[in-house]
Amino acid sequence: MADWEIRAASAADVEAIAELRAVVLRGDLERLGRYDERRVRQRLRDGFEPAHTWVIEVAGTFAGCVALRPDADAGCHWLEHFYLDARLQGAGIGSGVLGELLERCDRDGLGGGVGACVVRLNVLQGSPARRLYERYGFVVETEDAVDVFMVRRATP
């Protein structure tokens, strides 16, 4: 596995993340007939929350990002905007980052409670990322023609 680090994101990271999102999602969105060059970037900009986002760096260079946003109303966290440069996929970085974030979530819980926390996400239909999520205990909750909604439930 390549050496990687995560750091807190800042507002200055939004354009690099929006561009990475457009590149990484393009194939899946085109396959689903949903790719729009402007919209794919704007959706990231509109929902970007630096306080809940981390930048993934490999050898000190921007390589990706991930967000883990608490949702107190739903009693869960949402795993969002998990993008990794395609040249680095398959090297164990995504697995390492996901494992670390889930450990933090389980340790700190929602609102400071201790114990495994509920984490939800959505992944595009046919995306190979689904296999990664399944390895970490995510199961399909619902799906539609475009998205698969998955959940990793808290253990008793």
Side-chain angles (χ1 to χ4, degrees):
M1 175 170 40
D3 289 334
W4 56 270
E5 295 181 354
I6 58 174
R7 65 164 172 83
S10 72
D13 294 310
V14 70
E15 289 307 315
I17 294 171
E19 187 58 32
L20 179 63
R21 180 180 197 268
V23 171
V24 169
L25 293 183
R26 184 175 189 142
D28 284 331
L29 289 171
E30 284 179 340
R31 178 179 43 78
L32 294 167
R34 307 285 288 194
Y35 185 77
D36 177 304
E37 192 166 321
R38 188 197 65 75
R39 187 169 185 250
V40 70
R41 291 169 176 86
Q42 194 58 47
R43 284 193 69 185
L44 181 283
R45 292 177 190 119
D46 292 345
F48 185 63
E49 294 184 38
H52 303 296
T53 304
W54 291 268
V55 168
I56 303 163
E57 294 182 338
V58 174
T61 302
F62 174 81
C65 64
V66 63
L68 189 62
R69 178 180 52 84
D71 183 341
D73 293 336
C76 70
H77 282 75
W78 282 92
L79 183 72
E80 301 171 317
H81 308 303
F82 195 3
Y83 312 120
L84 186 63
D85 185 311
R87 296 169 295 193
L88 299 170
Q89 293 174 10
I93 298 167
S95 185
V97 169
L98 182 58
E100 182 173 316
L101 287 179
L102 293 175
E103 280 181 30
R104 288 181 186 187
C105 188
D106 291 347
R107 182 185 61 241
D108 300 338
L110 185 61
V114 176
C117 67
V118 176
V119 180
R120 287 187 153 72
L121 61 85
N122 67 294
V123 62
L124 292 170
Q125 285 283 2
S127 171
R130 179 175 170 174
R131 290 188 303 274
L132 171 65
Y133 301 133
E134 288 170 340
R135 285 196 310 268
Y136 279 85
F138 286 86
V139 296
V140 174
E141 193 168 40
T142 63
E143 57 187 295
D144 59 31
V146 176
D147 292 303
V148 178
F149 294 88
M150 302 181 81
V151 62
R152 175 185 168 265
R153 297 204 183 277
T155 54

